[in-house]
Amino acid sequence: MRIAIAATGTALLLCGGAALAAGLGAFDALLALSGRPLLDPALPRFTEDAGWFLPVAAGVAEIVALAGQLWLVFQGRALVHRWWPDLDPQTRAAARAAADDLARDARGLPGVQDARVRLTGTVTRPRLRMRVAFAGDALVSEVYGELGAGPVERYRKAIGMPDLPVVIRFRPAAKRG
């Protein structure tokens, strides 16, 4: 979807730039060589005869522009909610304190070198994202089981969301050399 939107935006930008250049006379030398006007003479006559054409074209352009701006607003809201969920201040403070405890407990597990915790999502669909860096000799399945059995359940209980989805991403820790 993003590729299609980027391609459409690029095409519209190029068309707008070409129209601006044509209006400023950048193509006058080429038109003088071909001996033809930039627009077909029938087009201005059509727009003058049909008094509805230009207002309808402007209205369609306005609707498309409004739809694009609304889409940008929704994308911006989604991006903000991904990093800062809509929570009341008490829940936010409890989540921050519980996240510190969860990260500390995770770092205390054997083989875990670092853990980062973030509550994301919206009010209706919150989720906990956790990144865990582990040593090369750690058993990921054991770390996962220990996290799910203890620290994650305590986090859910602390913020009052027993069904909170949790996404844990494991990665090997960077070697220090």
Side-chain angles (χ1 to χ4, degrees), residues 1 5 38 41 52 55 80 139 166:
M1 183 70 176
I5 292 171
L38 183 61
W52 57 267
V80 167
L139 293 173
V166 179

Side-chain angles (χ1 to χ4, degrees), residues 90-161:
Q90 295 83 13
T91 306
R92 187 180 302 273
R96 191 173 296 125
D100 292 340
D101 292 342
L102 175 58
R104 186 185 62 247
D105 291 346
R107 286 186 201 105
L109 294 175
V112 174
Q113 292 185 349
D114 190 27
R116 298 188 188 266
V117 179
R118 180 181 291 268
L119 183 64
T120 64
T122 63
V123 173
T124 58
R125 292 180 33 200
R127 71 176 181 182
L128 178 69
R129 291 180 55 197
M130 190 170 180
R131 290 188 334 210
V132 177
F134 60 91
D137 59 347
L139 293 173
V140 176
S141 61
E142 287 182 11
V143 173
Y144 180 76
E146 290 287 328
L147 280 173
V152 170
E153 285 304 316
R154 285 192 297 275
Y155 180 89
R156 287 175 171 158
K157 189 181 292 184
I159 64 171
M161 296 180 185

Side-chain angles (χ1 to χ4, degrees), residues 74-106:
F74 288 129
Q75 292 300 312
R77 280 192 76 216
L79 180 67
V80 167
H81 288 306
R82 183 179 300 159
W83 295 106
W84 297 287
D86 282 338
L87 298 174
D88 58 290
Q90 295 83 13
T91 306
R92 187 180 302 273
R96 191 173 296 125
D100 292 340
D101 292 342
L102 175 58
R104 186 185 62 247
D105 291 346

Side-chain angles (χ1 to χ4, degrees), residues 53-65:
F53 180 76
L54 290 178
V56 168
V60 168
E62 287 292 326
I63 290 170
V64 169

